[in-house]
Amino acid sequence: MIVVAKKDVVVPLVPAALSALLVVGGMTVFSACHQRPDGTWMQCHRCQNTVVASAAGLVVVFGAAGFVQNRAVRVALQALAIVVSVVVFFIPGIICPLCMMETMRCHTVFQPFVRIMSVLVSGSGIVALVKSLRKGKAA
């Protein structure tokens, strides 16, 4: 039986937790523009769905990396997730178009939230990656 210290599991799971906050926030409080009265969606809704799906993938990859014992696999998963989190930063407004008016919810609420959260996710992912790399050298 392998005993893993709590701090060895907590640090790698921080980016997964922040990614989960991005999923929940992107779907609820910080969502893009609401549905139109006629039942259709603004073009930014597709962008919201892309961000939420990407963040859900980050939860899975960062979460898996937190429990993988093989150092090479853990580092590869963390590096992949960091790249994806950087891509998520560029989804609203650059990769995926938002509404034309700068005063709409997708520009004023959704885009800043996604940008801030993706920076936090990638930053904490980098910390977890560095910790994983150093842990391998110390052992």
Side-chain angles (χ1 to χ4, degrees):
M1 182 168 130
I2 298 174
V3 179
V4 179
K6 287 185 181 181
K7 68 178 182 177
D8 289 339
V9 175
V10 171
V11 172
L13 291 181
V14 169
L18 290 170
S19 299
L21 285 175
L22 180 56
V23 170
V24 173
M27 289 296 293
T28 57
V29 178
F30 300 101
S31 64
C33 300
H34 299 293
Q35 192 173 20
R36 294 179 185 151
D38 66 356
T40 60
W41 292 94
M42 303 282 212
Q43 67 181 1
C44 60
H45 184 69
R46 186 180 84 238
C47 183
Q48 173 187 322
N49 291 341
T50 304
V51 167
V52 168
S54 301
L58 287 172
V59 170
V60 172
V61 175
F62 273 126
F67 294 103
V68 170
Q69 296 297 320
N70 185 319
R71 179 178 174 256
V73 173
R74 183 177 62 248
V75 167
L77 287 172
Q78 289 171 333
L80 170 69
I82 290 167
V83 170
V84 172
S85 65
V86 170
V87 171
V88 169
F89 180 89
F90 294 107
I91 291 175
I94 296 175
I95 295 174
C96 203
L98 297 176
C99 296
M100 294 179 76
M101 293 174 44
E102 297 287 327
T103 58
M104 297 196 71
R105 182 175 173 82
C106 56
H107 286 282
T108 60
V109 175
F110 178 70
Q111 186 179 31
F113 173 73
V114 171
R115 297 251 167 110
I116 290 168
M117 289 303 295
S118 63
V119 166
L120 292 174
V121 169
S122 61
S124 62
I126 290 169
V127 169
L129 178 63
V130 168
K131 184 171 168 61
S132 292
L133 290 171
R134 286 187 180 167
K135 179 181 175 187
K137 289 182 181 179

